[in-house]
Amino acid sequence: MHVFGLTGGIASGKSTVSRMLRELGARVLDADVLAREAVEPGTPGLKGIQERFPGVVGPDGRLDRVKLGAHIFADPAERAALNAIVHPEVRALFLQKLQALEAEGVTHVVYDVPLLIETGLHQAMEGVAVVWVPREAQKARLMARDGLDAAQAEARLQAQMALDDKRAHATWVIDNSGTPEATRPQVEAVWRAMLARG
């Protein structure tokens, strides 16, 4: 099985590229979806969070993301504690899903991970596609999408690895600064290149 990484940054258009890959027939595993599954009621992930961050599980037994976010947003140590609980659970789910796809006869999988490079996961991939936009375009899109002012958008961007730094680790760079029509041929070329490996 050939596993490739897809990453980008906030408001870079990674979700758009992920959707285009699916439309081309790629099987895409989304780390954000797995992370939500890892903290569903009754999971070891949610139990671990509840023990470490009391008061973040609502009366319905589900994770209150707003309360959890308030704990971890400004505190790197708390964020690291959360990651130490969630990441192993996400990895286990990823391996389960990979085995299921392999049993189906799927040979090429794309793993869509926002923090692919920051966590060092890119080193385990056969190739990495980075969705890139210039920083000013990223900031403008973020402000428009989330209704943020310039300072708020800047704070969110500062909290992430810069796309220019991620680009240094890319096998393929998808420039998403133009229209979807300009992005699509690049995505098609990347998918063809992935399929050509094995």
Side-chain angles (χ1 to χ4, degrees), residues 8-9 22 45 50 54 69 73 89 104 110 119 125 140 151 156 159 162 175-176 178-179 181 185 192 194 196:
R22 283 188 175 93
Q50 200 166 6
F73 185 70
E89 298 299 324
E104 271 181 50
V110 177
T119 56
M125 303 289 136
R156 297 269 202 303
D175 181 345
N176 192 37
T179 62
E181 292 72 28
R192 279 197 304 273
M194 288 176 176

Side-chain angles (χ1 to χ4, degrees), residues 25-155:
R27 299 300 286 271
V28 180
L29 291 175
D30 185 331
D32 286 340
V33 172
L34 297 183
R36 282 195 292 277
E37 283 181 28
V39 296
E40 283 289 306
T43 58
L46 186 61
K47 188 171 183 288
I49 290 171
Q50 200 166 6
E51 286 167 3
R52 177 63 179 75
F53 302 96
V56 298
V57 174
D60 61 352
R62 303 188 82 79
L63 182 62
D64 184 329
R65 291 174 187 283
V66 175
K67 279 187 182 165
L68 181 62
H71 275 286
I72 65 162
F73 185 70
D75 189 335
E78 293 289 86
R79 205 158 46 239
L82 176 67
N83 289 339
I85 296 164
V86 177
H87 284 175
E89 298 299 324
V90 171
R91 179 164 173 72
L93 281 171
F94 169 66
L95 293 172
Q96 274 175 29
K97 300 211 184 267
L98 216 51
Q99 285 171 341
L101 288 171
E102 197 164 21
E104 271 181 50
V106 174
T107 55
H108 293 70
V109 173
V110 177
Y111 193 22
D112 176 346
V113 189
L115 301 178
L116 185 78
I117 292 157
E118 294 88 327
T119 56
L121 256 181
H122 65 292
Q123 291 164 346
M125 303 289 136
E126 271 192 58
V128 173
V130 172
V131 182
W132 178 90
V133 290
R135 189 179 169 84
E136 283 312 305
Q138 188 183 13
K139 187 171 172 180
R141 286 179 186 181
L142 182 56
M143 288 165 69
R145 188 190 78 184
D146 293 358
L148 304 176
D149 64 31
Q152 289 170 319
E154 188 59 40

